[in-house]
Amino acid sequence: MSSIEGKFLQIFGAEPDLVAAAPGRVNLIGEHIDYSEGFVLPFAIKDRTLVAARKRDDSTVRIASVQRRNKIITVDIADVKPGLKGEWERYALGVLWSMDVKGGVDLLIDGHVPLGAGLSSSAALECSVATAMNHLFDMGFNLEELARLTQKAENQYVGVPCGIMDQSVSLMATTGSALLLDCRDLSTRNIPFDVASHGLELLIIDTQAHHALTDGGYAERRASCESVASKLSVKSMRELTMTKLDSSRGLITETEYIRARHAVTEMKRVLDCVEALSSGDFATVGQLINASHISLRDDYTVSCPELDTAVEASLLAGALGSRMVGGGFGGSAIALIQASKTTETIHAVEKAFAEKKFKAPRFFTSLPSQGAELLSRR
Ligand code: GLA
């Protein structure tokens, strides 16, 4: 019996029917363009969230988390609707709601994706629960449908206006590859991302910063892109080019122009990055990563002093490229570095943080890992 099955037995008095898992993610490139129907290139990290689940023969939902001292939260499935108050468990209950689960269930969550680091621990939780429910109740949803349902849970139940990237990669990623995701139709291509055989490493730097701006800042950026689309009569930023944007500059505000410029140029950088990866041209990959950061910092203005410091210190230590990842205003940065320079880079970033009196950062590395999967079933 695995450790989560043993804990489940202790807490709920019976063995689970199944155990599922889903990972967190980092995004190589393609930031703040998933909600503009763009291309993104994230990969799943090795850290994942496990969920053990057992069907009940009544309508009760009991949910506990190893990280929350196994405290059991009990609710009737009929009451699981947007508006129901709660904390972390809303991410799991929201998925039961969006998938229209009808019966009772016991769920034990064991999350290993660092919390608050911008590595999508919430998507890992949602997608592990969705995978478990899909199997437990033989619901037959495919991965695209699960991505939309988990996003719906986060948008409408939890109330966070996120795009579709984090859930998609958590569900669809494969070992060894980054996932080129077309956010317009959720079609994908696996792009081999083998840094190790080029003597490189992708360092993940968790700045441990979290600025309160986050939620409003994210929604405001999204609204800008939607406003540009409506003023220029296009469905999304995907339909724009720099030529079209420049010729329509008079129809939108200056801020909208600058935000849209990020979206249009970032979409191109993703496709250029795929091409550079296919020819093993990591110098170009690094330059594109740098250009992405500059655009997020200056045009989209979603960076923060801690992220900029992590990026600058990594580059000074010799990184090929470095940028913030995820929604911004805190969270993590990535740095593409020579594997032989890992310790040196870590020290350089630590020193730069100490000098600015920032909270000490945390460091992770991860190879591209497997997306959500069923681990065991009785
Ligand atoms: C957060 C959101 C994603 C995406 C990124 C920015 O992680 O959840 O949908 O918009 O920010 O790229």
Side-chain angles (χ1 to χ4, degrees):
M1 197 184 296
S2 72
S3 121
I4 190 168
E5 287 167 322
K7 285 176 190 152
F8 188 100
L9 176 60
Q10 266 174 18
I11 296 167
F12 293 122
E15 284 179 37
D17 293 330
L18 55 79
V19 178
R25 63 98 188 90
V26 286
N27 187 14
L28 199 52
I29 196 159
E31 215 65 86
H32 277 281
I33 49 171
D34 58 347
Y35 49 79
S36 291
E37 301 193 313
F39 292 100
V40 294
L41 193 60
F43 67 81
I45 56 173
K46 62 180 188 309
D47 302 297
R48 52 193 193 169
T49 293
L50 268 56
V51 54
R54 180 174 156 267
K55 238 190 224 176
R56 298 174 54 92
D57 47 22
D58 59 14
S59 61
T60 303
V61 175
R62 293 193 297 174
I63 176 166
S65 156
V66 174
Q67 284 68 37
R68 310 280 168 151
R69 298 163 180 262
N70 305 325
K71 181 176 158 250
I72 299 177
I73 295 157
T74 305
V75 55
D76 193 278
I77 191 74
D79 296 329
V80 176
K81 295 189 187 107
L84 184 68
K85 295 236 172 337
E87 294 172 21
W88 67 271
E89 76 280 4
R90 287 179 305 142
Y91 291 88
L93 295 178
V95 172
L96 301 192
W97 166 76
S98 68
M99 292 177 79
D100 201 18
V101 169
K102 298 273 188 236
V105 63
D106 286 338
L107 293 172
L108 177 63
I109 313 293
D110 190 6
H112 297 274
V113 180
L115 293 178
L119 299 176
S120 287
S121 56
S122 47
L125 172 53
E126 291 153 3
C127 295
S128 61
V129 171
T131 305
M133 294 304 101
N134 204 27
H135 287 284
L136 193 64
F137 293 100
D138 295 317
M139 299 177 106
F141 290 118
N142 63 31
L143 296 180
E144 290 81 14
E145 289 166 333
L146 289 180
R148 301 224 185 265
L149 289 166
T150 45
Q151 183 198 22
K152 180 178 171 191
E154 187 150 344
N155 289 169
Q156 296 181 29
Y157 192 100
V158 185
V160 175
C162 65
I164 192 89
M165 170 172 74
D166 305 341
Q167 292 81 3
S168 300
V169 64
S170 182
L171 289 160
M172 300 173 192
T174 52
T175 308
S177 291
L179 185 78
L180 176 65
L181 173 73
D182 181 343
C183 298
R184 180 147 71 181
D185 59 10
L186 298 193
S187 58
T188 62
R189 225 170 91 200
N190 288 323
I191 308 296
F193 183 61
D194 177 12
V195 282
S197 69
H198 290 80
L200 302 173
E201 173 99 88
L202 193 88
L203 184 65
I204 303 168
I205 307 162
D206 172 13
T207 63
Q208 302 246 50
H210 181 78
H211 293 282
L213 269 172
T214 316
D215 301 342
Y218 186 93
E220 190 263 327
R221 301 308 183 280
R222 231 190 129 141
S224 276
C225 290
E226 280 156 14
S227 169
V228 172
S230 125
K231 288 180 183 173
L232 302 190
S233 305
V234 290
K235 190 156 173 277
S236 69
M237 300 295 93
R238 173 75 171 269
E239 289 170 28
L240 288 181
T241 56
M242 274 316 291
T243 315
K244 179 151 189 207
L245 183 60
D246 283 335
S247 64
S248 320
R249 197 166 178 166
L251 301 173
I252 54 180
T253 68
E254 192 54 19
T255 303
E256 285 170 345
Y257 171 79
I258 292 169
R259 303 281 196 254
R261 182 167 64 190
H262 165 73
V264 172
T265 57
E266 184 77 354
M267 288 190 208
K268 176 153 190 327
R269 281 188 286 273
V270 173
L271 299 179
D272 290 350
C273 187
V274 168
E275 206 176 303
L277 281 173
S278 73
S279 52
D281 179 1
F282 282 94
T284 299
V285 171
Q287 284 162 13
L288 291 163
I289 288 176
N290 289 336
S292 171
H293 184 75
I294 292 168
S295 179
L296 288 159
R297 184 192 65 197
D298 299 345
D299 277 2
Y300 224 60
T301 60
V302 288
S303 191
C304 67
E306 292 86 347
L307 284 166
D308 292 340
T309 301
V311 166
E312 279 153 29
S314 313
L315 291 175
L316 279 173
L320 280 77
S322 181
R323 68 176 200 88
M324 55 152 282
V325 291
F329 308 112
S332 292
I334 52 171
L336 183 63
I337 59 175
Q338 303 291 344
S340 58
K341 286 195 161 180
T342 307
T343 313
E344 202 178 319
T345 312
I346 289 177
H347 285 157
V349 175
E350 281 174 339
K351 188 160 170 275
F353 269 54
E355 276 167 12
K356 295 194 174 166
K357 302 206 172 0
F358 295 154
K359 194 169 172 191
R362 294 188 294 178
F363 300 88
F364 310 96
T365 57
S366 177
L367 295 173
S369 305
Q370 181 58 40
E373 57 185 336
L374 183 66
L375 296 181
S376 66
R377 182 166 202 167
R378 268 205 303 154

